[in-house]
Amino acid sequence: PMGRIGRGLKRTGQVLLCAGALAGGAALSHLTMEPVMPARAAAPSFPPRAEAPSPIERPIEVAPVEIAVGSVVTEAPPVPHDPFAGNLRDGKIITGATPHRTMLFTFDDGPDQRNTPRLLDVLDEYGIKAVFFLTASRISGNTPWQRDNQALAREIVARGHWVGNHTVDHAQLPLLDDEAVLAQVRGADEVFERVLGSRTWLLRPPGGARSARVDALLAQHGYTQMTWNLGTGDFQVREPEAVFRTWRRVLERRERENGDAGGIILLHDTHEWSVEAVPLMMSWMRERNCDLLERGEELYDVAQDPSVFFAARDERAPSAEAPPARIDADALSRRQRALRAETRQRCARLAVR
């Protein structure tokens, strides 16, 4: 009996972790909250401009975008890579919904000296381009720690990734009044302009917390909010295997209940176990592709460009969400053809080991 009770408790814990990733993560990203009484929060303070770092201590060398075989973008981009996503301004709220087996990796709360350098190497190893939502307070000042983080933020840009706004200090925006909201988001972009040379256009509200009032305010300033649909629960655990398992369970549930075969993955580069979970995810997708190849189904892919999830806002309401991302049939066919060839070679090598 005690063994059955122990196994039951273990299963209950797994269910709660998965539910936490959904409720504390992706579920919040789709929530349009009822208007709340704005708090009179003080605007965050910044170092005096005289003490701020120079706009760019060295030119940012943006690496040419090398499109991996089987990536979402199968031809050379028509315009140079813009790490600040200026082409994605004024968009509907991106949720990550898609019927395609396409994943976009995103990382919040950095940069982090302990983990982000290793993550950048891992992403290079797998040919992944990601979106980093930076917390501006980590790079806003002139302390040695902040100067090191500034160099790391420049390295993120130089390696061909995207950067987005995650506010000054991770504030829950619906709890702030309008002035404080703008201090958080525009204040962050002032930091990005000084350190990286440009404001950002993608924004991730901390915790996925939104309200109609804040949505309207952000839309007035051109931001496109990007939430997520594939939480990993990496803020609740400390082992990469647990992060991986939660991601798989959330993915399976999203596909079963919403028809989402892929989407936007939420991770935090402030955790070493999150960095270590990326190879586990990639290995699983590659192994699954061997089976999918035999069955003639669409293979798992990694988006190299967040634009696949973008939809212009036009005259729609600020809280309007982007429709599920659908890839052009010709582009999908070309991409899958190349990915099948790559997968066939990889699976053949595995078979002879």
Side-chain angles (χ1 to χ4, degrees), residues 30-70:
H30 294 282
L31 174 64
T32 301
M33 299 166 58
E34 291 297 321
V36 296
M37 292 300 294
R40 292 297 305 180
S45 59
F46 297 97
R49 283 198 178 272
E51 300 178 7
S54 59
I56 304 179
E57 294 179 3
R58 63 175 176 81
I60 299 176
E61 300 175 357
V62 179
V65 177
E66 297 181 359
I67 306 303
V69 175

mmCIF file of all heavy atoms in Angstrom, residues 30-70:
data_model
loop_
_atom_site.group_PDB
_atom_site.id
_atom_site.type_symbol
_atom_site.label_atom_id
_atom_site.label_comp_id
_atom_site.label_asym_id
_atom_site.label_seq_id
_atom_site.Cartn_x
_atom_site.Cartn_y
_atom_site.Cartn_z
ATOM 1 N N HIS A 30 -2.344 34.093 -22.677
ATOM 2 C CA HIS A 30 -3.570 34.305 -23.434
ATOM 3 C C HIS A 30 -4.614 35.070 -22.627
ATOM 4 O O HIS A 30 -5.738 35.236 -23.083
ATOM 5 C CB HIS A 30 -4.162 32.947 -23.857
ATOM 6 C CG HIS A 30 -3.290 32.240 -24.829
ATOM 7 N ND1 HIS A 30 -3.242 32.561 -26.159
ATOM 8 C CD2 HIS A 30 -2.397 31.241 -24.665
ATOM 9 C CE1 HIS A 30 -2.384 31.769 -26.776
ATOM 10 N NE2 HIS A 30 -1.857 30.974 -25.883
ATOM 11 N N LEU A 31 -4.240 35.537 -21.446
ATOM 12 C CA LEU A 31 -5.216 36.149 -20.556
ATOM 13 C C LEU A 31 -5.319 37.628 -20.817
ATOM 14 O O LEU A 31 -4.328 38.332 -20.782
ATOM 15 C CB LEU A 31 -4.786 35.907 -19.092
ATOM 16 C CG LEU A 31 -5.613 36.586 -18.009
ATOM 17 C CD1 LEU A 31 -7.037 36.053 -18.023
ATOM 18 C CD2 LEU A 31 -4.968 36.382 -16.654
ATOM 19 N N THR A 32 -6.528 38.096 -21.126
ATOM 20 C CA THR A 32 -6.782 39.525 -21.155
ATOM 21 C C THR A 32 -7.495 39.847 -19.857
ATOM 22 O O THR A 32 -8.669 39.536 -19.686
ATOM 23 C CB THR A 32 -7.646 39.915 -22.357
ATOM 24 O OG1 THR A 32 -6.964 39.518 -23.541
ATOM 25 C CG2 THR A 32 -7.907 41.404 -22.375
ATOM 26 N N MET A 33 -6.768 40.428 -18.956
ATOM 27 C CA MET A 33 -7.267 40.602 -17.608
ATOM 28 C C MET A 33 -8.312 41.701 -17.547
ATOM 29 O O MET A 33 -8.323 42.619 -18.349
ATOM 30 C CB MET A 33 -6.105 40.943 -16.670
ATOM 31 C CG MET A 33 -5.042 39.850 -16.613
ATOM 32 S SD MET A 33 -3.534 40.421 -15.845
ATOM 33 C CE MET A 33 -4.137 40.939 -14.245
ATOM 34 N N GLU A 34 -9.174 41.607 -16.556
ATOM 35 C CA GLU A 34 -10.109 42.680 -16.312
ATOM 36 C C GLU A 34 -9.327 43.906 -15.864
ATOM 37 O O GLU A 34 -8.271 43.784 -15.246
ATOM 38 C CB GLU A 34 -11.104 42.271 -15.217
ATOM 39 C CG GLU A 34 -12.063 41.188 -15.658
ATOM 40 C CD GLU A 34 -12.944 41.642 -16.807
ATOM 41 O OE1 GLU A 34 -13.384 42.797 -16.809
ATOM 42 O OE2 GLU A 34 -13.187 40.842 -17.714
ATOM 43 N N PRO A 35 -9.805 45.098 -16.165
ATOM 44 C CA PRO A 35 -9.078 46.280 -15.733
ATOM 45 C C PRO A 35 -8.862 46.249 -14.225
ATOM 46 O O PRO A 35 -9.741 45.878 -13.465
ATOM 47 C CB PRO A 35 -10.006 47.432 -16.143
ATOM 48 C CG PRO A 35 -10.836 46.863 -17.245
ATOM 49 C CD PRO A 35 -11.021 45.414 -16.901
ATOM 50 N N VAL A 36 -7.652 46.622 -13.827
ATOM 51 C CA VAL A 36 -7.334 46.651 -12.404
ATOM 52 C C VAL A 36 -7.088 48.091 -11.997
ATOM 53 O O VAL A 36 -6.784 48.944 -12.823
ATOM 54 C CB VAL A 36 -6.085 45.798 -12.092
ATOM 55 C CG1 VAL A 36 -6.351 44.352 -12.402
ATOM 56 C CG2 VAL A 36 -4.882 46.308 -12.870
ATOM 57 N N MET A 37 -7.220 48.361 -10.718
ATOM 58 C CA MET A 37 -6.955 49.697 -10.227
ATOM 59 C C MET A 37 -5.463 49.960 -10.332
ATOM 60 O O MET A 37 -4.647 49.234 -9.765
ATOM 61 C CB MET A 37 -7.399 49.834 -8.771
ATOM 62 C CG MET A 37 -8.908 49.762 -8.610
ATOM 63 S SD MET A 37 -9.775 51.085 -9.520
ATOM 64 C CE MET A 37 -9.193 52.508 -8.625
ATOM 65 N N PRO A 38 -5.067 50.967 -11.090
ATOM 66 C CA PRO A 38 -3.640 51.199 -11.261
ATOM 67 C C PRO A 38 -2.989 51.612 -9.954
ATOM 68 O O PRO A 38 -3.530 52.391 -9.186
ATOM 69 C CB PRO A 38 -3.574 52.321 -12.311
ATOM 70 C CG PRO A 38 -4.906 52.959 -12.296
ATOM 71 C CD PRO A 38 -5.893 51.924 -11.829
ATOM 72 N N ALA A 39 -1.810 51.054 -9.728
ATOM 73 C CA ALA A 39 -1.055 51.424 -8.543
ATOM 74 C C ALA A 39 -0.177 52.616 -8.854
ATOM 75 O O ALA A 39 0.365 52.737 -9.947
ATOM 76 C CB ALA A 39 -0.204 50.234 -8.093
ATOM 77 N N ARG A 40 -0.016 53.468 -7.888
ATOM 78 C CA ARG A 40 0.865 54.610 -8.072
ATOM 79 C C ARG A 40 2.291 54.195 -7.773
ATOM 80 O O ARG A 40 2.857 54.514 -6.728
ATOM 81 C CB ARG A 40 0.436 55.761 -7.159
ATOM 82 C CG ARG A 40 -0.902 56.380 -7.519
ATOM 83 C CD ARG A 40 -0.893 57.026 -8.895
ATOM 84 N NE ARG A 40 0.173 58.000 -9.016
ATOM 85 C CZ ARG A 40 0.388 58.686 -10.120
ATOM 86 N NH1 ARG A 40 -0.352 58.492 -11.202
ATOM 87 N NH2 ARG A 40 1.377 59.557 -10.169
ATOM 88 N N ALA A 41 2.827 53.396 -8.678
ATOM 89 C CA ALA A 41 4.193 52.925 -8.470
ATOM 90 C C ALA A 41 5.173 53.979 -8.938
ATOM 91 O O ALA A 41 4.964 54.652 -9.946
ATOM 92 C CB ALA A 41 4.425 51.626 -9.236
ATOM 93 N N ALA A 42 6.242 54.115 -8.215
ATOM 94 C CA ALA A 42 7.246 55.095 -8.610
ATOM 95 C C ALA A 42 7.975 54.614 -9.847
ATOM 96 O O ALA A 42 8.226 53.422 -10.009
ATOM 97 C CB ALA A 42 8.247 55.298 -7.459
ATOM 98 N N ALA A 43 8.307 55.533 -10.717
ATOM 99 C CA ALA A 43 9.063 55.168 -11.914
ATOM 100 C C ALA A 43 10.458 54.742 -11.499
ATOM 101 O O ALA A 43 11.033 55.284 -10.561
ATOM 102 C CB ALA A 43 9.141 56.375 -12.867
ATOM 103 N N PRO A 44 11.012 53.731 -12.177
ATOM 104 C CA PRO A 44 12.354 53.284 -11.819
ATOM 105 C C PRO A 44 13.375 54.366 -12.093
ATOM 106 O O PRO A 44 13.225 55.159 -13.028
ATOM 107 C CB PRO A 44 12.565 52.065 -12.728
ATOM 108 C CG PRO A 44 11.647 52.276 -13.860
ATOM 109 C CD PRO A 44 10.456 52.995 -13.296
ATOM 110 N N SER A 45 14.396 54.416 -11.280
ATOM 111 C CA SER A 45 15.434 55.429 -11.462
ATOM 112 C C SER A 45 16.536 54.864 -12.333
ATOM 113 O O SER A 45 16.805 53.670 -12.325
ATOM 114 C CB SER A 45 16.004 55.849 -10.106
ATOM 115 O OG SER A 45 16.547 54.738 -9.427
ATOM 116 N N PHE A 46 17.212 55.728 -13.060
ATOM 117 C CA PHE A 46 18.308 55.325 -13.927
ATOM 118 C C PHE A 46 19.547 56.122 -13.557
ATOM 119 O O PHE A 46 19.446 57.219 -12.988
ATOM 120 C CB PHE A 46 17.981 55.586 -15.402
ATOM 121 C CG PHE A 46 16.820 54.800 -15.885
ATOM 122 C CD1 PHE A 46 15.550 55.346 -15.930
ATOM 123 C CD2 PHE A 46 16.983 53.490 -16.266
ATOM 124 C CE1 PHE A 46 14.476 54.615 -16.355
ATOM 125 C CE2 PHE A 46 15.912 52.747 -16.699
ATOM 126 C CZ PHE A 46 14.665 53.314 -16.746
ATOM 127 N N PRO A 47 20.699 55.606 -13.871
ATOM 128 C CA PRO A 47 21.913 56.377 -13.615
ATOM 129 C C PRO A 47 21.883 57.667 -14.411
ATOM 130 O O PRO A 47 21.329 57.716 -15.513
ATOM 131 C CB PRO A 47 23.033 55.447 -14.133
ATOM 132 C CG PRO A 47 22.423 54.099 -14.209
ATOM 133 C CD PRO A 47 20.963 54.325 -14.480
ATOM 134 N N PRO A 48 22.430 58.764 -13.892
ATOM 135 C CA PRO A 48 22.487 60.016 -14.658
ATOM 136 C C PRO A 48 23.172 59.776 -15.983
ATOM 137 O O PRO A 48 24.104 58.984 -16.090
ATOM 138 C CB PRO A 48 23.309 60.945 -13.740
ATOM 139 C CG PRO A 48 23.206 60.342 -12.374
ATOM 140 C CD PRO A 48 23.068 58.868 -12.573
ATOM 141 N N ARG A 49 22.704 60.478 -17.006
ATOM 142 C CA ARG A 49 23.262 60.246 -18.334
ATOM 143 C C ARG A 49 24.760 60.504 -18.369
ATOM 144 O O ARG A 49 25.480 59.896 -19.136
ATOM 145 C CB ARG A 49 22.550 61.118 -19.357
ATOM 146 C CG ARG A 49 21.193 60.587 -19.735
ATOM 147 C CD ARG A 49 20.744 61.210 -21.035
ATOM 148 N NE ARG A 49 19.457 60.655 -21.414
ATOM 149 C CZ ARG A 49 19.334 59.548 -22.129
ATOM 150 N NH1 ARG A 49 20.398 58.883 -22.519
ATOM 151 N NH2 ARG A 49 18.136 59.090 -22.447
ATOM 152 N N ALA A 50 25.221 61.420 -17.547
ATOM 153 C CA ALA A 50 26.649 61.714 -17.555
ATOM 154 C C ALA A 50 27.464 60.496 -17.131
ATOM 155 O O ALA A 50 28.602 60.325 -17.512
ATOM 156 C CB ALA A 50 26.961 62.878 -16.612
ATOM 157 N N GLU A 51 26.854 59.620 -16.304
ATOM 158 C CA GLU A 51 27.568 58.446 -15.844
ATOM 159 C C GLU A 51 27.248 57.217 -16.673
ATOM 160 O O GLU A 51 27.795 56.154 -16.443
ATOM 161 C CB GLU A 51 27.195 58.160 -14.379
ATOM 162 C CG GLU A 51 27.552 59.308 -13.450
ATOM 163 C CD GLU A 51 27.116 59.006 -12.030
ATOM 164 O OE1 GLU A 51 26.681 57.866 -11.778
ATOM 165 O OE2 GLU A 51 27.212 59.897 -11.180
ATOM 166 N N ALA A 52 26.317 57.348 -17.588
ATOM 167 C CA ALA A 52 25.911 56.189 -18.377
ATOM 168 C C ALA A 52 27.005 55.799 -19.349
ATOM 169 O O ALA A 52 27.824 56.624 -19.733
ATOM 170 C CB ALA A 52 24.635 56.506 -19.159
ATOM 171 N N PRO A 53 27.074 54.565 -19.737
ATOM 172 C CA PRO A 53 28.067 54.150 -20.722
ATOM 173 C C PRO A 53 27.827 54.858 -22.042
ATOM 174 O O PRO A 53 26.733 55.311 -22.336
ATOM 175 C CB PRO A 53 27.827 52.634 -20.850
ATOM 176 C CG PRO A 53 26.451 52.422 -20.351
ATOM 177 C CD PRO A 53 26.208 53.476 -19.330
ATOM 178 N N SER A 54 28.884 54.962 -22.810
ATOM 179 C CA SER A 54 28.743 55.590 -24.118
ATOM 180 C C SER A 54 27.762 54.787 -24.941
ATOM 181 O O SER A 54 27.546 53.609 -24.700
ATOM 182 C CB SER A 54 30.102 55.638 -24.819
ATOM 183 O OG SER A 54 30.613 54.343 -24.968
ATOM 184 N N PRO A 55 27.136 55.422 -25.964
ATOM 185 C CA PRO A 55 26.088 54.735 -26.724
ATOM 186 C C PRO A 55 26.503 53.341 -27.187
ATOM 187 O O PRO A 55 25.798 52.382 -27.006
ATOM 188 C CB PRO A 55 25.833 55.683 -27.896
ATOM 189 C CG PRO A 55 26.182 57.019 -27.351
ATOM 190 C CD PRO A 55 27.325 56.788 -26.413
ATOM 191 N N ILE A 56 27.672 53.248 -27.761
ATOM 192 C CA ILE A 56 28.194 51.944 -28.172
ATOM 193 C C ILE A 56 29.700 51.988 -27.955
ATOM 194 O O ILE A 56 30.400 52.749 -28.611
ATOM 195 C CB ILE A 56 27.882 51.628 -29.646
ATOM 196 C CG1 ILE A 56 26.387 51.716 -29.910
ATOM 197 C CG2 ILE A 56 28.416 50.268 -30.039
ATOM 198 C CD1 ILE A 56 26.017 51.437 -31.333
ATOM 199 N N GLU A 57 30.196 51.179 -27.025
ATOM 200 C CA GLU A 57 31.613 51.234 -26.718
ATOM 201 C C GLU A 57 32.460 50.683 -27.865
ATOM 202 O O GLU A 57 33.612 51.005 -28.008
ATOM 203 C CB GLU A 57 31.884 50.451 -25.431
ATOM 204 C CG GLU A 57 31.235 51.126 -24.211
ATOM 205 C CD GLU A 57 31.484 50.343 -22.938
ATOM 206 O OE1 GLU A 57 32.201 49.321 -23.010
ATOM 207 O OE2 GLU A 57 30.977 50.752 -21.883
ATOM 208 N N ARG A 58 31.897 49.812 -28.633
ATOM 209 C CA ARG A 58 32.542 49.330 -29.854
ATOM 210 C C ARG A 58 31.451 49.007 -30.848
ATOM 211 O O ARG A 58 30.323 48.706 -30.461
ATOM 212 C CB ARG A 58 33.402 48.083 -29.594
ATOM 213 C CG ARG A 58 32.609 46.877 -29.110
ATOM 214 C CD ARG A 58 33.509 45.670 -28.998
ATOM 215 N NE ARG A 58 32.825 44.520 -28.455
ATOM 216 C CZ ARG A 58 32.038 43.714 -29.148
ATOM 217 N NH1 ARG A 58 31.815 43.958 -30.418
ATOM 218 N NH2 ARG A 58 31.455 42.675 -28.572
ATOM 219 N N PRO A 59 31.739 49.102 -32.124
ATOM 220 C CA PRO A 59 30.698 48.787 -33.108
ATOM 221 C C PRO A 59 30.182 47.371 -32.920
ATOM 222 O O PRO A 59 30.944 46.449 -32.631
ATOM 223 C CB PRO A 59 31.434 48.953 -34.458
ATOM 224 C CG PRO A 59 32.620 49.800 -34.150
ATOM 225 C CD PRO A 59 33.009 49.483 -32.742
ATOM 226 N N ILE A 60 28.865 47.213 -33.049
ATOM 227 C CA ILE A 60 28.271 45.891 -32.951
ATOM 228 C C ILE A 60 28.421 45.195 -34.286
ATOM 229 O O ILE A 60 27.927 45.665 -35.308
ATOM 230 C CB ILE A 60 26.775 45.978 -32.569
ATOM 231 C CG1 ILE A 60 26.648 46.651 -31.211
ATOM 232 C CG2 ILE A 60 26.128 44.619 -32.563
ATOM 233 C CD1 ILE A 60 25.224 46.880 -30.787
ATOM 234 N N GLU A 61 29.144 44.093 -34.271
ATOM 235 C CA GLU A 61 29.345 43.328 -35.494
ATOM 236 C C GLU A 61 28.280 42.248 -35.558
ATOM 237 O O GLU A 61 28.339 41.249 -34.837
ATOM 238 C CB GLU A 61 30.739 42.712 -35.502
ATOM 239 C CG GLU A 61 31.859 43.766 -35.438
ATOM 240 C CD GLU A 61 33.229 43.142 -35.335
ATOM 241 O OE1 GLU A 61 33.292 41.891 -35.247
ATOM 242 O OE2 GLU A 61 34.223 43.872 -35.324
ATOM 243 N N VAL A 62 27.295 42.469 -36.397
ATOM 244 C CA VAL A 62 26.203 41.511 -36.521
ATOM 245 C C VAL A 62 26.624 40.414 -37.477
ATOM 246 O O VAL A 62 26.941 40.674 -38.637
ATOM 247 C CB VAL A 62 24.919 42.192 -37.026
ATOM 248 C CG1 VAL A 62 23.803 41.171 -37.160
ATOM 249 C CG2 VAL A 62 24.515 43.309 -36.073
ATOM 250 N N ALA A 63 26.647 39.192 -36.970
ATOM 251 C CA ALA A 63 27.076 38.074 -37.804
ATOM 252 C C ALA A 63 26.088 37.850 -38.936
ATOM 253 O O ALA A 63 24.883 38.018 -38.763
ATOM 254 C CB ALA A 63 27.175 36.803 -36.953
ATOM 255 N N PRO A 64 26.598 37.501 -40.126
ATOM 256 C CA PRO A 64 25.668 37.167 -41.214
ATOM 257 C C PRO A 64 24.754 36.032 -40.781
ATOM 258 O O PRO A 64 25.173 35.124 -40.074
ATOM 259 C CB PRO A 64 26.611 36.721 -42.353
ATOM 260 C CG PRO A 64 27.944 37.291 -41.999
ATOM 261 C CD PRO A 64 27.997 37.340 -40.500
ATOM 262 N N VAL A 65 23.518 36.103 -41.191
ATOM 263 C CA VAL A 65 22.560 35.065 -40.822
ATOM 264 C C VAL A 65 22.771 33.866 -41.723
ATOM 265 O O VAL A 65 22.555 33.934 -42.925
ATOM 266 C CB VAL A 65 21.110 35.588 -40.954
ATOM 267 C CG1 VAL A 65 20.131 34.467 -40.624
ATOM 268 C CG2 VAL A 65 20.893 36.771 -40.042
ATOM 269 N N GLU A 66 23.240 32.765 -41.142
ATOM 270 C CA GLU A 66 23.410 31.530 -41.890
ATOM 271 C C GLU A 66 22.200 30.658 -41.633
ATOM 272 O O GLU A 66 21.952 30.238 -40.501
ATOM 273 C CB GLU A 66 24.691 30.824 -41.463
ATOM 274 C CG GLU A 66 25.952 31.646 -41.761
ATOM 275 C CD GLU A 66 27.205 30.920 -41.351
ATOM 276 O OE1 GLU A 66 27.088 29.792 -40.815
ATOM 277 O OE2 GLU A 66 28.299 31.461 -41.572
ATOM 278 N N ILE A 67 21.440 30.388 -42.667
ATOM 279 C CA ILE A 67 20.203 29.641 -42.511
ATOM 280 C C ILE A 67 20.504 28.148 -42.488
ATOM 281 O O ILE A 67 21.047 27.600 -43.438
ATOM 282 C CB ILE A 67 19.225 29.969 -43.654
ATOM 283 C CG1 ILE A 67 19.028 31.491 -43.742
ATOM 284 C CG2 ILE A 67 17.908 29.254 -43.457
ATOM 285 C CD1 ILE A 67 18.527 32.103 -42.450
ATOM 286 N N ALA A 68 20.180 27.504 -41.370
ATOM 287 C CA ALA A 68 20.428 26.075 -41.245
ATOM 288 C C ALA A 68 19.515 25.294 -42.189
ATOM 289 O O ALA A 68 18.411 25.727 -42.498
ATOM 290 C CB ALA A 68 20.176 25.629 -39.799
ATOM 291 N N VAL A 69 20.003 24.144 -42.629
ATOM 292 C CA VAL A 69 19.195 23.298 -43.495
ATOM 293 C C VAL A 69 17.910 22.926 -42.770
ATOM 294 O O VAL A 69 17.923 22.512 -41.615
ATOM 295 C CB VAL A 69 19.978 22.034 -43.881
ATOM 296 C CG1 VAL A 69 19.090 21.089 -44.677
ATOM 297 C CG2 VAL A 69 21.215 22.408 -44.688
ATOM 298 N N GLY A 70 16.802 23.091 -43.454
ATOM 299 C CA GLY A 70 15.530 22.730 -42.858
ATOM 300 C C GLY A 70 14.950 23.784 -41.959
ATOM 301 O O GLY A 70 13.993 23.547 -41.250
#
